[in-house]
Amino acid sequence: MANLISLPLQERIPRNNILQRATDIIIFFLFLSLLSYRFLTLSNHGVAWLLAFLCESWFTLCWVLTINSNWNPVEYRTYPERLLQRVGEVPSVDMFVTTADPLLEPPIITVNTVLSLLAVDYPAHKLACYVSDDGASLLTFYSLVEASKFAKLWVPFCKKYSIRVRAPFVYFSTEIDESLDLSPDFRDEWKTMKNEYKQLRRRIEEAVQKNYIAGDLTGDFAAFSKIDPKNHPSIVKVIWENKENLPDGLPHLIYVSREKRPVHPHHFKAGAMNVLTRVSGVMTNSPFILNVDCDMFVNNPQTILHAMCLLLGFEQEKESGFVQFPQIFYRSLKDDPFGNNQFIVFWKFIMPGIVGIQGPFYGGTGCFHRRKVIYGLSPDEATIQGAMETTFGNSVHFMKSVPQILSGIKDKTDCQPADLSSTEEAANEVASCVYEYNTSWGERVGWVYGSATEDVLTGLRIHSKGWRSGYCTPDPPAFLGDTPSGGPAILTQQKRWATGLLEILVSNYNPILGVIKGKLLIRQCLVYLSVIIWPLRALPELCYALLPPYCILTTTYFLPTVWEPAIFVSSALFVILSLYNLSYYLRCGLSIRSWWNNQRMTRITSATSRLFSVLVVILKFLGLSETVFEITPKHQDSSVDTSAGELTFDKSPIFVPGTTLLLLHMTALAVGLLRILLQPWAHAGSWFGLGEICCSIWMVLSFWPFVKGLFKKGVYGIPSSTLYKSVALSSLFVHLSLWASSN
């Protein structure tokens, strides 16, 4: 039997992708063939042909970047059972949970995430859970206090019976399987736990409904008296402390609401993460940090052990500056009617290729960080360059904690104060809104400011320092999260992501500069470019989507006719790309309907969210607007409404471009049909315009939720104000098209 001490904690396994490489190259040559034909025949065609050539050139560039990302996929296998034999005593971990609005992110969701973290399979005295509440909500604080009482029962129950799913709302969503041979003790305790959770949930829901807490606002609650969420001092409260450092006890639980003043920028989630980093630095100062969103609960109790296999399993630390877990969702409707929400294909097939270069992006949640990497340390540096105070600030307590991390001490348990409550004053100091002035926070230290996607930006800075990142995919999945439902929530989330990515493109943190000035690998730079220019694809896609109705209305064409040999190239390109993408879904165990829903939502988000993100960034670049961080609503229920799945609408202008496109293609199809009916002799035996008509049919099918919205009312119907604007825009396009063709 092999000695466990000599066995690796992780294993890097390359994937065989010869067939995929061959397919990628075939598609690339088809793109080149089509472009070559268009270029050689430009003089024989009009403006539509030229526009198609420019759009397809952009699509070819995007495909080259895709080939780069897919070329050498690898995956990591972790062995948590070997960890204790290898390292002896595991290092401590500070766990961050972020929430911002108790209405959009109900406290019961945050409570379940916190409970799942407190119950992980890891020594309790090595853990501390920090909850950042950017809403300064008394309801959130009250819910956490109540949850800490329930946790004293829940955590021992989970560990005693090796419960896998340790978020109570999911665990108790099903009844006990009576066919299983379960002990009477377990059945009794299960019923007791379920009753206790029901009471916890009832207390929280009553507090939320009545918007107050029974009793006087005294003691720890006094800080919330007449509080203004946008104008208040910092609040740091130790809800529970594992004073005896019991390995089988309950981890520390600390509530943090940073100071907010109207005259000081707070930098959204990135600012909250930096405050948590400093607060935890003066309180527990663990060398590793886990951050999760409030709706991303732990689904695998051995998650931290898996992460440590990658963080501690390499000979050189630079191989794992951070470890990212895939984002997988539990509230999924059948066939995923909203398409891009779940990213199953991305995490399973695209991400391994990125892992094979310099490692995955930082995804904003479900990620383990080295604290010294967050502090801005490079792999080849022993300490931070520059004066400590101008880098980290002037807090005496925090300045004492920083050298402990930079010096490479693995575990800070012995360095923790005997009483965490005694550090609350120092924690409030580093949570003030003026602490970061004249420091490097938000630039060289901590989460980086300047983008709505602070996660990608921060990961880019880490990779540019020369660090690599790890990717961990345990079975069962480490984390499960909530996914938005309905049109406005989905498109808002997509717009925020797209806006943030474009902000990176026009910032000083552009990945090209990471290659020139930093240590970002060229291929990793191309990976980042493929992601951050993704929103810009909305412009050529919009142009390409307008070509079929333009050509039908003006009796021109932008696709090769059936009499031209190039028709086989464009047809083959369409068919192979569709089958190529479909194969991903089938290999993931998804249905053909799921694939179609993804195709459909890709067209919709391109004409809505991504298009508006381009406009937002242009206005910001011109100094005419500022980015607004929009929170995606979260849901309290783990069940799935089988009647859901239809796209919902509101009066937001984000729906205008999509509605306009639909009206244009419907108009073009009607004109084409009337032309054939009224002048059948002119089209007899002619296939002229067939490709354009097929494209318009494809677009109408892609925007089918909008078609249904034309005939429905309420949230499932397109508002009349949106229709009026779309009719006006489509009429203008038709008029200009006919005018241009006649001149």
Side-chain angles (χ1 to χ4, degrees):
M1 181 177 180
N3 188 346
L4 287 177
I5 297 179
S6 63
L7 295 176
L9 296 178
Q10 52 77 28
E11 185 179 2
R12 191 176 191 267
I13 304 172
R15 284 187 183 179
N16 186 349
N17 72 327
I18 296 177
L19 180 60
Q20 179 175 313
R21 286 183 180 181
T23 307
D24 288 348
I25 293 174
I26 290 172
I27 294 173
F28 174 64
F29 276 108
L30 286 173
F31 269 120
L32 287 183
S33 300
L34 182 59
L35 288 177
S36 299
Y37 179 78
R38 286 198 184 276
F39 181 77
L40 294 174
T41 57
L42 275 177
S43 58
N44 302 328
H45 298 86
V47 66
W49 195 267
L50 174 62
L51 290 174
F53 172 75
L54 295 176
C55 292
E56 288 163 358
S57 298
W58 179 268
F59 301 151
T60 304
L61 171 63
C62 292
W63 187 252
V64 171
L65 297 177
T66 299
I67 293 176
N68 170 70
S69 300
N70 292 343
W71 195 251
N72 56 327
V74 300
E75 59 185 22
Y76 286 101
R77 184 173 299 163
T78 51
Y79 303 97
E81 67 277 4
R82 303 173 183 173
L83 186 63
L84 292 179
Q85 285 77 11
R86 278 285 302 273
V87 303
E89 188 175 9
V90 293
S92 56
V93 180
D94 288 336
M95 305 179 292
F96 296 171
V97 181
T98 51
T99 183
D101 189 322
L103 297 179
L104 297 177
E105 299 171 332
I108 192 64
I109 291 181
T110 304
V111 161
N112 274 275
T113 297
V114 169
L115 288 171
S116 70
L117 289 168
L118 297 179
V120 293
D121 289 338
Y122 206 77
H125 66 298
K126 300 285 188 176
L127 298 174
C129 182
Y130 294 83
V131 180
S132 170
D133 176 20
D134 254 10
S137 170
L138 174 60
L139 295 173
T140 301
F141 179 71
Y142 168 79
S143 300
L144 291 172
V145 171
E146 293 299 310
S148 68
K149 301 173 184 176
F150 174 73
K152 297 172 187 176
L153 303 173
W154 174 247
V155 172
F157 170 77
C158 290
K159 294 186 176 180
K160 178 180 179 181
Y161 293 106
S162 299
I163 304 300
R164 186 179 70 79
V165 180
R166 299 183 182 181
F169 82 118
V170 177
Y171 180 69
F172 292 120
S173 63
T174 57
E175 295 295 328
I176 294 179
D177 189 348
E178 297 296 338
S179 64
L180 298 177
D181 184 19
L182 302 173
S183 68
D185 289 344
F186 172 77
R187 293 177 182 272
D188 291 341
E189 289 190 51
W190 187 91
K191 292 177 181 177
T192 301
M193 282 295 111
K194 185 172 184 179
N195 184 59
E196 290 289 340
Y197 177 67
K198 283 184 177 179
Q199 293 183 33
L200 169 66
R201 183 160 186 157
R202 177 181 53 79
R203 290 194 298 271
I204 293 174
E205 288 176 349
E206 286 180 354
V208 171
Q209 291 169 3
K210 297 177 182 178
N211 200 28
Y212 78 94
I213 310 301
D216 297 330
L217 294 182
T218 58
D220 287 337
F221 294 100
F224 297 91
S225 178
K226 299 180 180 179
I227 195 169
D228 181 351
K230 297 182 179 180
N231 188 11
H232 65 87
S234 57
I235 304 172
V236 179
K237 298 290 183 182
V238 178
I239 296 176
W240 172 259
E241 180 180 359
N242 186 1
K243 293 184 178 180
E244 298 179 2
N245 281 334
L246 298 175
D248 56 351
L250 194 66
H252 305 310
L253 178 59
I254 300 99
Y255 172 91
V256 180
S257 183
R258 56 186 171 139
E259 181 183 14
K260 281 191 177 180
R261 304 297 179 192
V263 295
H264 298 289
H266 57 83
H267 302 293
F268 311 114
K269 183 181 176 181
M273 294 299 295
N274 284 337
V275 168
L276 285 178
T277 303
R278 295 193 297 271
V279 169
S280 62
V282 300
M283 299 187 86
T284 50
N285 201 32
S286 298
F288 296 103
I289 294 170
L290 161 65
N291 90 276
V292 295
D293 289 341
C294 66
D295 64 324
M296 190 71 67
F297 67 85
V298 179
N299 183 62
N300 186 331
Q302 291 196 326
T303 291
I304 300 182
L305 298 176
H306 283 283
M308 288 302 155
C309 288
L310 289 174
L311 290 168
L312 305 177
F314 292 98
E315 292 184 4
Q316 295 182 314
E317 288 184 340
K318 74 174 185 178
E319 298 294 329
S320 57
F322 62 86
V323 173
Q324 179 67 55
F325 288 80
Q327 297 179 32
I328 303 175
F329 303 97
Y330 61 86
R331 274 177 40 87
S332 57
L333 297 168
K334 183 182 179 182
D335 296 328
D336 189 18
F338 300 122
N340 283 335
N341 271 336
Q342 296 198 46
F343 298 107
I344 295 175
V345 170
F346 175 81
W347 290 110
K348 188 168 183 177
F349 290 106
I350 308 302
M351 186 57 80
I354 301 172
V355 174
I357 305 175
Q358 200 172 344
F361 315 115
Y362 167 35
T365 182
C367 187
F368 286 81
H369 305 267
R370 295 182 187 274
R371 186 181 286 268
K372 64 182 179 182
V373 174
I374 293 297
Y375 284 173
L377 197 67
S378 297
D380 54 356
E381 290 179 337
T383 186
I384 297 294
Q385 302 297 321
M388 294 287 282
E389 285 194 9
T390 57
T391 301
F392 296 101
N394 56 11
S395 167
V396 175
H397 291 81
F398 186 69
M399 292 298 291
K400 288 181 180 179
S401 72
V402 172
Q404 297 171 353
I405 294 297
L406 299 182
S407 63
I409 300 175
K410 295 297 183 183
D411 195 350
K412 303 299 178 294
T413 300
D414 296 333
C415 302
Q416 292 180 12
D419 180 11
L420 282 184
S421 299
S422 65
T423 62
E424 286 186 3
E425 182 179 351
N428 277 288
E429 178 189 359
V430 297
S432 70
C433 57
V434 297
Y435 182 83
E436 295 182 352
Y437 286 178
N438 300 318
T439 70
S440 297
W441 286 98
E443 296 179 1
R444 294 191 298 117
V445 178
W447 274 255
V448 184
Y449 302 151
S451 169
T453 51
E454 76 296 322
D455 44 9
V456 176
L457 182 54
T458 301
L460 173 57
R461 188 199 68 190
I462 292 172
H463 282 136
S464 297
K465 287 276 188 179
W467 294 95
R468 293 177 177 268
S469 54
Y471 182 56
C472 193
T473 56
D475 185 22
F479 301 96
L480 292 180
D482 186 28
T483 180
S485 60
I490 293 166
L491 299 182
T492 294
Q493 184 186 65
Q494 294 276 347
K495 181 166 75 90
R496 187 181 74 232
W497 291 343
T499 301
L501 294 174
L502 288 177
E503 287 172 332
I504 297 174
L505 183 64
V506 298
S507 73
N508 294 329
Y509 299 98
N510 187 294
I512 297 176
L513 297 177
V515 174
I516 298 173
K517 298 181 179 180
K519 300 178 181 178
L520 189 68
L521 299 180
I522 294 178
R523 287 190 59 202
Q524 188 75 8
C525 170
L526 295 179
V527 169
Y528 272 107
L529 285 174
S530 70
V531 173
I532 64 178
I533 68 171
W534 159 70
L536 287 178
R537 188 179 173 118
L539 297 178
E541 284 188 359
L542 175 63
C543 179
Y544 213 72
L546 290 173
L547 289 177
Y550 172 82
C551 291
I552 293 173
L553 292 170
T554 59
T555 61
T556 57
Y557 62 96
F558 77 99
L559 291 173
T561 65
V562 294
W563 310 114
E564 298 176 85
I567 187 65
F568 296 105
V569 176
S570 57
S571 300
L573 191 56
F574 175 78
V575 172
I576 293 175
L577 271 173
S578 298
L579 292 176
Y580 178 90
N581 195 266
L582 175 60
S583 69
Y584 278 147
Y585 282 78
L586 297 179
R587 282 185 284 167
C588 285
L590 301 174
S591 64
I592 296 177
R593 184 63 179 270
S594 295
W595 164 79
W596 168 246
N597 286 336
N598 181 81
Q599 300 301 302
R600 176 172 56 81
M601 285 303 296
T602 299
R603 302 281 76 76
I604 291 174
T605 56
S606 175
T608 53
S609 305
R610 284 186 265 166
L611 190 62
F612 266 73
S613 71
V614 175
L615 177 62
V616 167
V617 173
I618 290 174
L619 292 176
K620 180 182 177 181
F621 187 74
L622 296 175
L624 301 176
S625 176
E626 286 295 328
T627 303
V628 177
F629 191 91
E630 299 167 287
I631 302 171
T632 306
K634 310 298 192 300
H635 301 272
Q636 302 182 51
D637 202 341
S638 63
S639 62
V640 175
D641 181 5
T642 55
S643 66
E646 290 194 54
L647 196 68
T648 55
F649 300 88
D650 60 16
K651 294 182 179 180
S652 170
I654 202 171
F655 293 103
V656 173
T659 307
T660 304
L661 271 179
L662 173 65
L663 294 178
L664 279 173
H665 283 279
M666 293 176 69
T667 301
L669 289 174
V671 169
L673 179 61
L674 285 173
R675 193 176 287 151
I676 293 174
L677 293 175
L678 296 177
Q679 298 177 326
W681 62 87
H683 302 277
S686 172
W687 294 94
F688 183 82
L690 178 63
E692 287 72 19
I693 290 175
C694 289
C695 286
S696 282
I697 293 174
W698 179 267
M699 287 298 293
V700 170
L701 292 175
S702 296
F703 281 81
W704 195 252
F706 283 70
V707 175
K708 293 192 290 185
L710 293 174
F711 305 100
K712 291 192 175 184
K713 295 182 179 181
V715 295
Y716 298 108
I718 299 175
S720 56
S721 59
T722 301
L723 281 174
Y724 296 150
K725 296 171 186 175
S726 298
V727 168
L729 288 173
S730 57
S731 300
L732 178 63
F733 179 86
V734 171
H735 174 75
L736 292 176
S737 299
L738 296 176
W739 176 82
S741 65
S742 62
N743 288 283

